[in-house]
Amino acid sequence: MSEKKLITPRKLAGFMELEPSKQIIFDEMTEKIKKVFKKFAFMPLDTPVLEYSEILLAKSGGEIDKEVYAFTKGDTNVCMRYDLTVPLARYVAMNEPTLTFPFKRYQIGKVFRGERPQKGRFRELIQCDVDIVGLEQLPIVADAECVNITCEVFKALSLNALVHISNRNILFGYCESLGLADKTIDILVILDKINKIGREVAMEELEKIGTTSMQANDLISLTLKQGTFESVISEIKDLSDNQLYQKGISELTELHSYLKAFGINENSYTCDIGIIRGHNYYTGTVFETYMPEHLDFGAVSAGGRYDNLTGYYSNKNMPGVGVSIGLTRLFDLLDKNNMLKTKSTEIELQIIPLGDTLTNCLELQAFFKDRLICEVNYDNRSFKSKMKEANKKEIPYVLIVGENEVESGEYSLKNMNTGEQITISKEKCATFIKKNNLLDRLTDLKQKYQKKASE
């Protein structure tokens, strides 16, 4: 009889797969983000992973086409979504008669990109998006709301983040004023990477595509303007009287007035003309979020205004603005830099039977199911082994149930962190654990803020 050949278990590169203790943290981050989205009255939406190729690729072009997972099933050409914005455009165009505008939706889901896996880049990643879509018009205050949500998300995640904000019309208009309108896209590609390639290389590349040295210098100087809205706008507002340029200045000024009205801490955002965004569907406000202490992470979220959202699917004008947080990438960066507080389990209580009390333990689990996250250790091992296992899983409390305990209705509850053991009824047990867990969390928060204050 031939020996069975085993297949070596392996995983495709670029696809995240977390161990349970880290998945707990990932899920908690997801829930915190979702809670912020819901707080701002956004409605949930879940579009299909698969779309018709002609729908998904209508607006992409260039490099994005190469990254899309595409295949044919029968006579149907299908693609896996590479972002959540294009499916939103398709959904809005299909359902416009039944929607109320502005339409505010959030979506948290997987997207797929066939690119080379590397630091911060995955083939499968979860994105957390909010978008606001208008019908015929969408006020600039919607852009400010998306910035506000971004600030709130990173606050909820307890991460220090700074939102860098600009308006693409400023650089588009400035290129027009220099007589370089036909080279604008090429110019912006170079300016978008100026922080990576440096000023000198950017000058060389701009001159190669036909700008003069003076034009290149002026474009770079404008791109590098960053600071408070008041200071930056004051410096650049009179550099050009080009209509598109002045539109960008006006929109930035209006946006800032709404950011102040929202009461956002001014240390949470900055005006940065160098924010351009690579996608060519952005038409006005653009913003990227960075962590000042970890600039090597790059942008940890991004978004902006796109006034032609449904142009390929509808004759009606439906402008939009949105923000996307690549949660998979953000989590990976935090994990690799030891910035996550690990949590081995969500279990609050494990019930350990002694003697012939398994049925009684299952009845206790049924009693606790709406009060605590608990489990019964029904493995046929020694009591000592079970206690070791509970300790290994970092379960905070263990309820020991022997025949005497069943008879008396009083059980031994052990705090696995302190070793303290008390006798308690099932009715008081859940309240006791919840109260002590809350006290532990408050102590952690107090220590955290004391440490922060001392720094």
Side-chain angles (χ1 to χ4, degrees):
M1 187 174 180
S2 61
E3 193 173 313
K4 180 181 177 182
K5 184 179 179 181
L6 295 177
I7 299 172
T8 303
R10 60 197 191 279
K11 179 175 67 70
L12 285 168
F15 290 76
M16 178 179 279
E17 186 176 63
L18 299 173
E19 60 188 61
S21 61
K22 290 184 179 179
Q23 189 65 50
I24 290 171
I25 306 301
F26 190 96
D27 290 348
E28 286 182 349
M29 291 176 69
T30 305
E31 286 304 312
K32 287 177 181 178
I33 294 171
K34 184 187 293 187
K35 188 175 180 181
V36 172
F37 292 169
K38 293 172 73 172
K39 183 173 74 172
F40 282 86
F42 282 73
M43 300 295 288
L45 181 65
D46 186 16
T47 57
V49 168
L50 301 181
E51 297 274 0
Y52 287 110
S53 295
E54 65 175 354
I55 297 291
L56 205 64
L57 300 179
K59 295 187 71 172
S60 59
E63 292 300 314
I64 290 179
D65 282 9
K66 300 174 185 177
E67 297 178 0
V68 172
Y69 283 101
F71 60 93
T72 301
K73 181 68 174 177
D75 296 328
T76 306
N77 293 320
V78 177
C79 287
M80 300 177 79
R81 65 190 183 200
Y82 61 86
D83 72 4
L84 300 176
T85 304
V86 176
L88 169 66
R90 188 266 308 155
Y91 176 86
V92 172
M94 281 181 64
N95 297 280
E96 177 267 323
T98 63
L99 298 177
T100 55
F101 293 90
F103 177 61
K104 299 168 64 175
R105 84 87 174 88
Y106 75 84
Q107 183 169 356
I108 298 175
K110 290 185 176 181
V111 299
F112 302 86
R113 297 173 183 176
E115 59 181 345
R116 184 170 65 86
Q118 51 187 301
K119 180 185 176 183
R121 291 192 175 273
F122 293 84
R123 289 171 171 163
E124 177 190 71
L125 59 152
I126 291 180
Q127 285 192 184
C128 306
D129 285 19
V130 292
D131 289 88
I132 306 171
V133 182
L135 185 60
E136 300 303 334
Q137 56 85 35
L138 185 66
I140 295 295
V141 66
D143 302 28
E145 184 168 17
C146 286
V147 173
N148 192 15
I149 289 170
T150 303
C151 295
E152 287 294 318
V153 163
F154 284 94
K155 182 180 177 182
L157 295 175
S158 299
L159 296 174
N160 182 30
L162 184 66
V163 185
H164 294 239
I165 307 166
S166 187
N167 190 297
R168 279 167 67 98
N169 290 322
I170 291 174
L171 284 172
F172 269 88
Y174 198 65
C175 287
E176 277 188 11
S177 71
L178 295 176
L180 300 169
D182 60 329
K183 304 181 190 304
T184 298
I185 299 301
D186 292 334
I187 289 171
L188 294 190
V189 168
I190 296 168
L191 295 177
D192 194 31
K193 58 184 180 180
I194 192 169
N195 289 327
K196 293 180 181 179
I197 63 176
R199 185 174 189 130
E200 287 187 15
V201 174
M203 284 279 292
E204 292 173 6
E205 292 196 10
L206 287 171
E207 289 177 32
K208 282 179 185 177
I209 64 171
T211 73
T212 66
S213 295
M214 183 175 293
Q215 287 172 334
N217 185 66
D218 289 346
L219 283 164
I220 291 172
S221 295
L222 175 59
T223 303
L224 293 176
K225 296 293 184 186
Q226 180 184 341
T228 66
F229 272 72
E230 290 89 349
S231 64
V232 172
I233 290 173
S234 175
E235 281 187 67
I236 71 172
K237 65 180 180 180
D238 297 325
L239 291 180
S240 171
D241 58 3
N242 174 274
Q243 187 176 354
L244 190 58
Y245 182 91
Q246 288 301 320
K247 181 174 185 283
I249 296 292
S250 176
E251 289 178 349
L252 262 189
T253 304
E254 183 180 354
L255 174 73
H256 187 223
S257 71
Y258 298 133
L259 296 179
K260 291 191 290 185
F262 275 126
I264 307 172
N265 187 324
E266 293 201 17
N267 293 323
S268 298
Y269 62 87
T270 183
C271 185
D272 183 352
I273 305 303
I275 300 301
I276 296 169
R277 303 295 299 136
H279 298 299
N280 56 21
Y281 54 64
Y282 288 115
T283 56
T285 303
V286 282
F287 49 92
E288 295 179 352
T289 307
Y290 293 84
M291 297 174 64
E293 295 91 351
H294 301 278
L295 292 177
D296 56 307
F297 286 8
V300 291
S301 83
R305 157 85 56 148
Y306 36 88
D307 282 330
N308 304 307
L309 175 67
T310 60
Y312 284 88
Y313 318 117
S314 172
N315 289 323
K316 293 189 176 180
N317 180 31
M318 285 181 270
V321 61
V323 59
S324 180
I325 300 162
L327 184 55
T328 301
R329 178 177 176 277
L330 175 60
F331 184 92
D332 183 63
L333 290 169
L334 295 173
D335 185 26
K336 284 183 167 51
N337 286 274
N338 300 312
M339 294 173 65
L340 296 174
K341 185 177 180 182
T342 58
K343 187 175 181 181
S344 297
T345 183
E346 292 182 298
I347 299 170
E348 297 172 283
L349 174 68
Q350 185 179 90
I351 304 170
I352 297 182
L354 288 179
D356 189 21
T357 62
L358 177 57
T359 301
N360 304 101
C361 291
L362 296 177
E363 290 172 352
L364 281 169
Q365 183 183 25
F367 174 82
F368 288 127
K369 68 179 181 180
D370 294 325
R371 299 170 173 85
L372 293 169
I373 301 174
C374 75
E375 68 173 6
V376 174
N377 188 333
Y378 45 71
D379 198 15
N380 291 320
R381 288 182 295 168
S382 68
F383 173 73
K384 186 176 181 180
S385 297
K386 291 178 181 179
M387 291 296 284
K388 281 185 177 180
E389 188 65 24
N391 194 53
K392 184 178 178 181
K393 290 172 72 172
E394 296 185 14
I395 295 172
Y397 288 94
V398 163
L399 194 69
I400 302 165
V401 181
E403 293 174 1
N404 291 336
E405 284 80 7
V406 171
E407 187 175 337
S408 67
E410 297 283 325
Y411 307 94
S412 295
L413 180 67
K414 183 168 184 176
N415 184 320
M416 298 297 286
N417 294 319
T418 66
E420 180 186 4
Q421 190 163 314
I422 62 171
T423 301
I424 195 168
S425 68
K426 67 180 183 180
E427 289 80 11
K428 293 180 179 179
C429 183
T431 304
F432 178 86
I433 290 174
K434 289 290 187 185
K435 180 181 178 182
N436 280 273
N437 283 343
L438 178 60
L439 289 173
D440 289 342
R441 286 196 293 271
L442 289 173
T443 300
D444 286 344
L445 283 172
K446 183 178 179 182
Q447 291 174 346
K448 177 183 175 182
Y449 286 117
Q450 284 176 339
K451 181 180 178 182
K452 193 171 184 180
S454 66
E455 292 173 348

